[in-house]
Amino acid sequence: MNFGVVGYKGRMGTLIVQTFKEHKHNPVLLVDKEVLLEKDRPEVIVDFSQPEALELTLSLCEKYNVPLVLGTTALAKNHFKTLKDFSKKQPVVQSYNFSIGINLIAKILAEFSKNFEEWDVELVEIHHSQKKDKPSGTAILLEKALKREIQKHSLRIGGIPGEHLVIFANEGETITISHRAISRKAFALGALKAAEWVLTRKSGFYTFSDVLKEE
Ligand SMILES: NC(=O)C1=CN([C@@H]2O[C@H](COP(=O)(O)OP(=O)(O)OC[C@H]3O[C@@H](n4cnc5c(N)ncnc54)[C@H](O)[C@@H]3O)[C@@H](O)[C@H]2O)C=CC1
Ligand SMILES: O=C(O)C1=N[C@H](C(=O)O)C[C@H](O)C1
């Protein structure tokens, strides 16, 4: 497929271009701050950048009439509204975490949310010191899965690609559900799976769990 990447100079953008190329896909549209390289028409656009880029990203999706895979975090309500409006025309896959492991944990939390009602719960998320937002998008995703408010603690140290711990405790015991991304490749491969999948879809707003459901 011919693909486009917004944020192509970043940690994730660089790896997405590399990973997609390894799977024989061609980067034809590369976008970053003050850079727009248009070689050909993309069939899908992948955005791992900053929320401020979303307007430009959606205008490019409109221009080429193509779907979007969106990994950018720290989106506000108005961004979701714009995305949902756009998804009436073209499919959108949005996820704050494109790893298989986190999406499995979200499924477990959703399934057992009732069993944990009487337990205390807090979440610790640990990321590299360059990360701009806190709490992480994944912390928000996991809170939504559990269907209750979670106290969140954010650490920004070193080069850690991403670690999340959901800690439950009652008077006599604790349960910790944890996930560590040991490489950003996990997210890049997830974005690739989503990009290949979204080409087979009609319009609609999807998450990465929808992509994984159909495997
Ligand atoms: N959903 C997921 O699985 C994952 C999501 N992320 C998210 O992806 C985003 C990018 O993360 P990193 O690559 O680590 O950050 P980064 O800072 O290394 O890269 C971001 C890139 O976007 C560019 N950018 C910023 N504003 C822009 C704009 N207005 N227009 C065009 N380009 C713009 C920057 O110049 C930079 O090259 C963050 O929101 C992060 O939280 C990161 C990893 C996994
Ligand atoms: O910025 C990152 O690096 C990451 N961002 C996502 C998040 O905010 O949850 C996903 C992953 O944890 C890495």
Side-chain angles (χ1 to χ4, degrees):
M1 74 173 98
N2 285 348
F3 67 96
V5 180
V6 180
Y8 83 99
K9 288 186 176 180
R11 280 174 289 272
M12 279 305 301
T14 311
L15 194 57
I16 282 168
V17 172
Q18 185 194 311
T19 306
F20 280 46
K21 277 166 92 174
E22 282 164 8
H23 286 77
K24 313 282 176 239
H25 301 304
N26 313 310
V28 295
L29 171 70
L30 296 171
V31 185
D32 209 286
K33 267 187 190 158
E34 288 153 36
V35 191
L36 182 62
L37 304 169
E38 289 178 285
K39 219 168 78 178
D40 204 345
R41 179 187 178 272
E43 291 157 79
V44 58
I45 296 179
V46 183
D47 179 340
F48 280 69
S49 60
Q50 283 298 302
E52 303 76 62
L54 189 58
E55 205 181 320
L56 172 62
T57 299
L58 287 176
S59 72
L60 289 165
C61 289
E62 297 254 14
K63 173 178 173 182
Y64 292 110
N65 213 14
V66 292
L68 170 66
V69 173
L70 180 63
T72 303
T73 55
L75 299 175
K77 270 194 185 147
N78 64 305
H79 295 123
F80 281 104
K81 162 125 192 23
T82 319
L83 281 170
K84 292 208 170 138
D85 287 346
F86 175 75
S87 73
K88 289 176 190 147
K89 294 178 255 177
Q90 280 292 333
V92 172
V93 182
Q94 182 276 331
S95 179
Y96 279 158
N97 196 304
F98 277 93
S99 75
I100 293 172
I102 282 291
N103 282 273
L104 200 52
I105 289 177
K107 215 168 149 187
I108 293 168
L109 293 179
E111 177 141 359
F112 291 95
S113 59
K114 274 223 160 289
N115 303 75
F116 282 120
E117 268 173 5
E118 303 300 317
W119 295 62
D120 290 341
V121 59
E122 302 217 357
L123 183 149
V124 181
E125 54 99 346
I126 314 171
H127 284 88
H128 55 98
S129 55
Q130 303 306 306
K131 183 166 174 61
K132 292 203 170 79
D133 54 317
K134 66 167 80 150
S136 66
T138 307
I140 296 164
L141 180 161
L142 294 176
E143 181 177 57
K144 202 169 151 203
L146 190 65
K147 298 184 250 350
R148 68 190 259 209
E149 202 174 314
I150 307 181
Q151 181 76 37
K152 298 180 265 319
H153 308 272
S154 302
L155 272 66
R156 296 287 173 264
I157 43 169
I160 295 169
E163 187 167 349
H164 291 84
L165 299 96
V166 186
I167 307 166
F168 293 96
N170 64 21
E171 279 302 308
E173 6 167 22
T174 72
I175 296 174
T176 302
I177 301 176
S178 75
H179 176 270
R180 181 183 304 146
I182 53 178
S183 156
R184 289 188 178 85
K185 193 89 177 179
F187 310 129
L189 285 169
L192 171 64
K193 209 184 272 285
E196 290 174 341
W197 180 86
V198 81
L199 291 182
T200 68
R201 295 287 111 180
K202 296 231 161 65
S203 57
F205 187 84
Y206 303 97
T207 66
F208 189 46
S209 66
D210 294 314
V211 177
L212 295 174
K213 241 181 248 165
E214 293 185 23
E215 285 220 301

